Amino acid sequence: MAESDPEIDFEFDPEDLPEKHHGSGPLGPPSLIVDNVHVKYRVFGAKKAGAVTNGKPSLYNRLRWRAQGHVGATSEVHAVRGVSFVAHQGEAIGIVGTNGSGKSSLLRAAAGLIPPAEGAVYVGAEPSLLGVNAVLMRQLTGERNIMIGGLALGLSMKEVRERFDEIVDFADIGDFVYLPMKTYSSGMAARLRFAISSVATPDILMIDEALATGDADFKQRSNAKIEEIREHAGTIFLVSHSLETVRRMCSRVLWMDQGRLVQDGDPEEVTDAYREHVRSRRGKKGKKG
Ligand SMILES: Nc1ncnc2c1ncn2[C@@H]1O[C@H](COP(=O)(O)OP(=O)(O)OP(=O)(O)O)[C@@H](O)[C@H]1O
Ligand SMILES: [Mg+2]
């Protein structure tokens, strides 16, 4: 572990992974257009307004802070800074970048889960953009979450009920489906999220690290699912810290750094450049940042 960067792990056995198809024929029509998207989060109470009394800024200081033009004790995190790209049907797009570089934020904005502060996202006809993670609730049972997730994906109650067993089987969580999700192991939760996310065979499937957990058998099943979606001319986004996974599965890779899109292109080239960047940064810092 001393030699390898903690942000790059190789959990996958490359043998298990489906082959990528880049270079095979022309690109399909555009499925998603991200145009100069910015994502900003407002964080409350993040900055101290001067001196602190009893752990809280005094009224005087808060008023002075406000008089100086600050809106409350809030600060802003500019997580995505003007990212643009066009995704096509049949593409599997990996997103790499260090922790906090804006990968999940970009995906959430692309999925329509958070409104961009600036810029726009355009999607092709009838998108079933996924960001199931955001609607699932840990305190509810797997069963309830399957309903909520299914509805969020645009399925009807009837359709969710019809596919219930399929989802539970796919996630391989057995009777745990009747227990709150907070009782699940992280692997079980990830498998259930993936099973819900992929049940609708969506036009655009977004996977954020979900595949990092799960045993070999689950990996095989999720890979098969990804293949199926790609064959049906869907578009896949895969955020992963495993560069090996990204190289194997993706036809294109986006590299995010500090909210910006640094590189967009061939998986080998982009992951090599990213790996080099992480190495040199580690060399400078001597630790993970
Ligand atoms: N809900 C939130 N409220 C405030 N700040 C947030 C929120 N979500 C993310 N951020 C901040 O936005 C920046 C980008 O975060 P994001 O989760 O998009 O990064 P990431 O690339 O997905 O990181 P990781 O690899 O750790 O998952 C970070 O500085 C993070 O602290
Ligand atoms: Mg993330």
Side-chain angles (χ1 to χ4, degrees):
M1 200 61 204
E3 274 300 296
S4 66
D5 191 282
E7 284 164 0
I8 304 173
D9 63 301
F10 299 94
E11 284 207 44
F12 274 71
D13 179 352
E15 295 296 301
D16 296 341
L17 296 166
E19 292 301 316
K20 60 195 170 192
H21 302 300
H22 59 94
S24 57
L27 290 172
S31 55
L32 176 87
I33 298 171
V34 169
D35 181 20
N36 189 33
V37 162
H38 290 254
V39 173
K40 292 175 182 173
Y41 298 104
R42 193 175 293 173
V43 185
F44 294 93
K47 275 187 187 160
K48 286 189 188 115
V52 170
T53 46
N54 296 331
K56 275 175 124 186
S58 68
L59 178 62
Y60 170 77
N61 277 316
R62 271 180 309 188
L63 290 175
R64 195 180 60 173
W65 181 254
R66 219 170 273 210
Q68 286 167 350
H70 301 285
V71 185
T74 64
S75 69
E76 200 177 67
V77 179
H78 199 160
V80 177
R81 299 161 181 258
V83 169
S84 304
F85 63 87
V86 178
H88 299 83
Q89 285 178 17
E91 275 191 308
I93 301 175
I95 306 180
V96 299
T98 52
N99 295 123
S101 56
K103 304 179 296 295
S104 299
S105 303
L106 176 64
L107 218 50
R108 271 184 244 136
L113 289 169
I114 45 177
E118 215 181 293
V121 176
Y122 305 95
V123 287
E126 304 234 4
S128 332
L129 292 185
L130 293 176
V132 154
N133 295 0
V135 298
L136 301 187
M137 286 181 253
R138 280 168 43 79
Q139 66 274 25
L140 299 182
T141 62
E143 187 184 22
R144 298 296 299 162
N145 275 305
I146 290 173
M147 296 314 281
I148 293 169
L151 294 175
L153 295 177
L155 299 182
S156 68
M157 274 296 225
K158 187 163 161 283
E159 285 171 320
V160 184
R161 257 184 238 114
E162 279 165 9
R163 294 178 201 206
F164 184 80
D165 291 341
E166 185 195 327
I167 297 172
V168 179
D169 282 351
F170 192 91
D172 199 16
I173 54 170
D175 285 344
F176 267 90
V177 72
Y178 302 109
L179 293 177
M181 266 184 89
K182 66 183 172 201
T183 65
Y184 294 14
S185 72
S186 58
M188 289 165 79
R191 292 202 302 275
L192 181 59
R193 282 197 295 269
F194 182 79
I196 297 172
S197 301
S198 57
V199 74
T201 319
D203 294 336
I204 301 175
L205 176 63
M206 297 179 168
I207 306 163
D208 196 341
E209 308 278 8
L211 299 179
T213 56
D215 56 21
D217 184 44
F218 178 72
K219 279 172 195 166
Q220 229 154 38
R221 279 180 291 137
S222 51
N223 288 334
K225 190 80 200 179
I226 287 173
E227 279 302 279
E228 183 190 320
I229 292 165
R230 210 154 55 176
E231 268 160 31
H232 288 86
T235 305
I236 293 157
F237 287 91
L238 172 64
V239 171
S240 177
H241 286 290
S242 165
L243 299 187
E244 212 51 49
T245 307
V246 165
R247 284 163 89 120
R248 273 278 167 164
M249 291 171 68
C250 299
S251 52
R252 174 180 172 192
V253 174
L254 311 181
W255 167 17
M256 292 288 293
D257 192 48
Q258 297 181 20
R260 293 197 175 83
L261 183 57
V262 188
Q263 219 175 324
D264 169 359
D266 175 71
E268 318 271 309
E269 270 173 39
V270 177
T271 52
D272 277 347
Y274 168 60
R275 203 190 300 254
E276 200 44 54
H277 166 82
V278 171
R279 278 211 185 110
S280 69
R281 205 184 56 147
R282 192 177 62 222
K284 272 182 214 141
K285 282 188 165 184
K287 65 178 175 107
K288 179 185 163 189

